[in-house]
Amino acid sequence: MPIELKIAWRNLYRHKGKSFVIGLILCLGSFIMTIGNGVINGLDTGLQKNIVNNFSGDLVLVSDKQIEKTVLASMTGHTLKPITNFTELKPQILNIPSIDKILPAGAGYVWVLNENGNPLDQYLLGVDIESYLEFFNNNLIVEKGSLLKKNQRGVLVSTRMRDWYFDFTDSWTVPINTSFDQEKAPEKVKKNGSSLQTKKSIVYMGLSSKNASLDILTDVIGIVKFKELNSILGFYCIVDMSSFRECMGYFESSDEAVHLSTKNQNLMTSSLDSIDTLFNDSFDTVNESTTKIKNDLSDIKHIKTSQLDKKLGTYNIIFVKLKKDVNLNKTITQINNLLKEKNIPLQAISWNDAIGMFGQIAMLMKGSLFLFVLFIFIVAIIIIMNTLSMATMERIPEIGMMRAIGTKKRFIQTMFLAETSLLSFVFGGAGIILGSITIIGFKLLKLSTSHEMLQILYGGDTFSPTLDFISVGLCVLQLSLIVCLSSIYPIYLARKITPLDSVLRN
Amino acid sequence: MAIVELKNINKDYYLGKTVVHALKNINLKIEKGSFSAIVGPSGSGKTTLLNVIGCIDKSSSGSVQIHGNQIDSLTDNQLTELRLFNIGFIFQSFHLIPVLNVLENIEFPLLLMNKYSKQEIRQKALDMMKSVHIMDQKDHRPSELSGGQRQRVAIARALVTDPEIVLADEPTANLDSETGAIILKLMKDLNKTRKTTFLFSTHDPEILKYADSSITIRDGQINAN
């Protein structure tokens, strides 16, 4: 064993108490850092797994005219630009090598109209339910009622939105063909007793950039829950694609079949301000409301009559799952380049950009955790540096004597570094091992939550901090940094000790 | 031949605005193979003089030559090497490395020299232990030794590198008179057998009888040589 290491080891053993205190700080610090890294990693992988697999896919394709990237959780209420010819685009999209499968859908912000007069806002997802469930691994659990059947019109209300509707309207949503089950209802609902109103249909009004467009009355087919992250993803209710299109003002071929008589056409263009005109034969005044609707539909006004064929499909978002082991960021760049090259009027947005505020909250939590770990890191450095500096000052006679008999500064430096390295290897290593065991313990405990913030922190419904080789490597790196940074000042002090200091102390 | 030569050495200390003249115009030559003592009362400047000779402290003015080397312009690393290869130190409080045993303490400067193999280092250390009669304490730590035994280890450590000169600052001050006499006799024997130059300080006139020559110092000035 090199003499520096031998002296370092024996010095640590000689000052057991002090070594133990520093070691304990190192152990605690690395323990907390390991847990912190595990939680950050769990949050990352959990969110990615649960959101990618169950809600957003790896990326989404939206119209190239779409400016706002937070297409799945926009706070602005802006509607997505429509994709009007999905059927034509589909083979071209599926030709992109990294893409595994796709799901066209409609996503938008709607108002829930109710008797109170104060509309409630929420997100609505329009899908073909069979394809949706297949694409997202049957991510829905039916609480009451049933799932939508093929070509059935209606809405699947999430448990979260059902609660929210109740908070705002005092009426409890139940699916059609079912009845209110008082026993299974939450306490807050039970309190209303016999005066409780139930609702089996909901009126949604689609919102566009030019304000409201059309409203639809939809039957509630089922009350559903997302398998993971229901508190967050439950902001969305799911409707059939036809209802969604109608709500957002995307016309279908069936709409084209409506032929209005001249009289009715004149009525459509009449002004609601002059109610008398309704009883007038001329009906030639331009209706402001109709103009508004026309403006709302300006986004799709270029659609030719032939394109209104339902088969061509008007959607506003395409969920994409990539093939395995594909780098997301690189692939997004590649896909965007390819889309431009082939003049496909779409753009790719990563899942974390698309989920917007959820991703931002997750980033905030991640940042806070990182700051917490950093705080522990700095505190550990300060405490260890202080203790080591005091220990150095106590060892002036010993170090000075060593310098007098011919020890170079480099030797003293190595000796100190060896002492802190040994301490951190033993105690810091123990902290990392303890932290890893605790993480495994947390995983086994399967702590679950329905609180939305905790769900983001957990990266799912269950707390599952994760440590992979990279995270363990990061812990070791952080520990090494602590050792290096906390040793700098004590080593500087030790290097400054001269043989004369030893003689003068004597 | 002079192993150490001091010319017009002055050493001043500053205590606030007060200047303390610890050494005043010292001119001194220490001959090779001599066994010399620096004598003087406490505060006379004995330790300061030894520190300057041992390259532990720098003089304020004047020049110091050790084994023909002018030390005033040497860097810290060069001074450290000079101390390691040319000077042995024996301290009043022994100053052994507490975590190393007797054998390891003696081996320590040889390891620093990076000049000998492990076997050579071990052999040199064992030979030196025999010379100072501490073979039985080979594996003991300094805390397990008496004052006399510790000073023997310190002497062995100072001599194991075959230095040109050994500087001893009041080597018997922490020992009883009987042990002190034994230690001085040992140093004297080693001086004779190994021809190593010894320069030690003392304020005890009793132990002067062991010295070949003495330098009397008072108020930082040499009174008699």
Side-chain angles (χ1 to χ4, degrees), chain B residues 28 30 35-40 199-200 202 207-209 211-217 222-225:
Chain B
L28 180 67
I30 307 290
F35 195 76
S36 311
I38 302 173
V39 196
L199 178 63
F200 63 96
T202 182
I207 58 172
L208 274 179
K209 59 187 177 194
D212 300 337
S213 61
S214 66
I215 302 141
T216 308
I217 187 166
I222 291 175
N223 280 358
N225 190 357

Side-chain angles (χ1 to χ4, degrees), chain A residues 99-127:
Chain A
I99 289 179
D100 183 32
K101 50 185 175 180
I102 58 172
L103 173 77
Y109 205 52
V110 294
W111 275 353
V112 181
L113 303 183
N114 56 72
E115 292 81 0
N116 291 354
N118 295 322
L120 194 67
D121 51 344
Q122 68 154 91
Y123 298 105
L124 205 61
L125 194 65
V127 291

Side-chain angles (χ1 to χ4, degrees), chain A residues 1 3 6-7 10-11 14 397-398 401-409 411 499-500 502-503 506, chain B residues 47 51 56-57 76-77 80-81 83-84 89 91 93 95-100 104 108 111-112 141 157:
Chain A
M1 189 194 285
I3 189 74
K6 192 186 276 182
I7 295 176
R10 289 186 189 172
N11 259 329
R14 185 172 168 231
E398 182 191 331
M401 173 274 298
M402 288 172 84
R403 295 276 290 121
I405 62 172
T407 309
K408 287 186 181 168
K409 286 179 178 178
F411 182 96
L500 191 62
S502 172
V503 174
N506 200 36
Chain B
T47 303
N51 288 343
I56 282 176
D57 204 355
D76 184 73
N77 257 355
T80 306
E81 287 202 350
R83 287 198 298 267
L84 176 62
F89 288 93
F91 299 97
S93 306
H95 277 330
L96 301 172
I97 299 173
V99 292
L100 300 181
E104 289 165 340
F108 185 68
L111 286 165
L112 295 176
R141 294 271 176 97
R157 185 182 64 185

